[in-house]
Amino acid sequence: MQIAKLSTPIARLPFLRHISLNPFSTSSTMCDYKFRLRNKLPINPNAYGPLTDGPDFSYLDSNKPAPPGKGQLKRLLKNQQLAKTVLKLNAEIQFAIDAEKRLQLEAQQETQKILDAKLKPKGDALISQRSRKVK
């Protein structure tokens, strides 16, 4: 154990041995995490942005674009898959909306068909009903 060989007060006290001698702490990470959540930024600063999305280099002598990097190609494929998924789910939602409208229309037509098939008034009832409509 190297900690026991040290002559610092931390090494002499057994209950303080878990304290790290590392100058970096996780508290700054937590502050950054809270700051990013509060300002609606991505938790990983390297997830996207001008430094991540842009090319690694460009040619100075011509307007020829630089070849895409591995990360760019990976993100491009991921975005294409995401777009396909969104379009597929959007089509499913539109199908469900159209099916619901069609079912409502069919139910309304069925109700109207039942009402039209009911017995009609005959004789004196029909004559009195017609005379009321004329007035």
Side-chain angles (χ1 to χ4, degrees), residues 40-71:
K40 298 178 182 170
L41 295 171
I43 294 172
N44 182 2
N46 297 324
Y48 60 88
L51 295 176
T52 307
D53 295 337
D56 293 337
F57 64 93
S58 62
Y59 296 104
L60 293 177
D61 58 349
S62 67
N63 291 333
K64 184 174 137 181
K70 281 185 178 180

Side-chain angles (χ1 to χ4, degrees), residues 90-135:
N90 193 17
E92 289 178 8
I93 290 171
Q94 192 61 43
F95 177 77
I97 290 171
D98 293 341
E100 179 66 25
K101 285 181 184 176
R102 188 174 9 96
L103 287 175
Q104 287 177 353
L105 184 63
E106 288 174 3
Q108 187 180 13
Q109 289 174 349
E110 185 67 27
T111 305
Q112 188 62 36
K113 183 179 174 184
I114 292 171
L115 290 175
D116 291 342
K118 283 189 174 180
L119 294 174
K120 306 282 191 249
K122 298 191 184 242
D124 293 335
L126 180 62
I127 295 170
S128 65
Q129 187 179 14
R130 284 186 182 168
S131 65
R132 275 190 246 141
K133 286 183 182 178
V134 172
K135 291 181 184 181

Side-chain angles (χ1 to χ4, degrees), residues 29-42:
T29 306
M30 284 305 293
C31 291
D32 186 45
Y33 175 76
K34 290 175 185 176
F35 172 81
R36 292 184 162 283
L37 284 180
R38 191 176 34 222
N39 292 318
K40 298 178 182 170
L41 295 171

Side-chain angles (χ1 to χ4, degrees), residues 3 6-14 17:
I3 297 176
L6 295 175
S7 62
T8 61
I10 293 175
R12 289 188 218 138
L13 300 172
R17 283 188 184 173

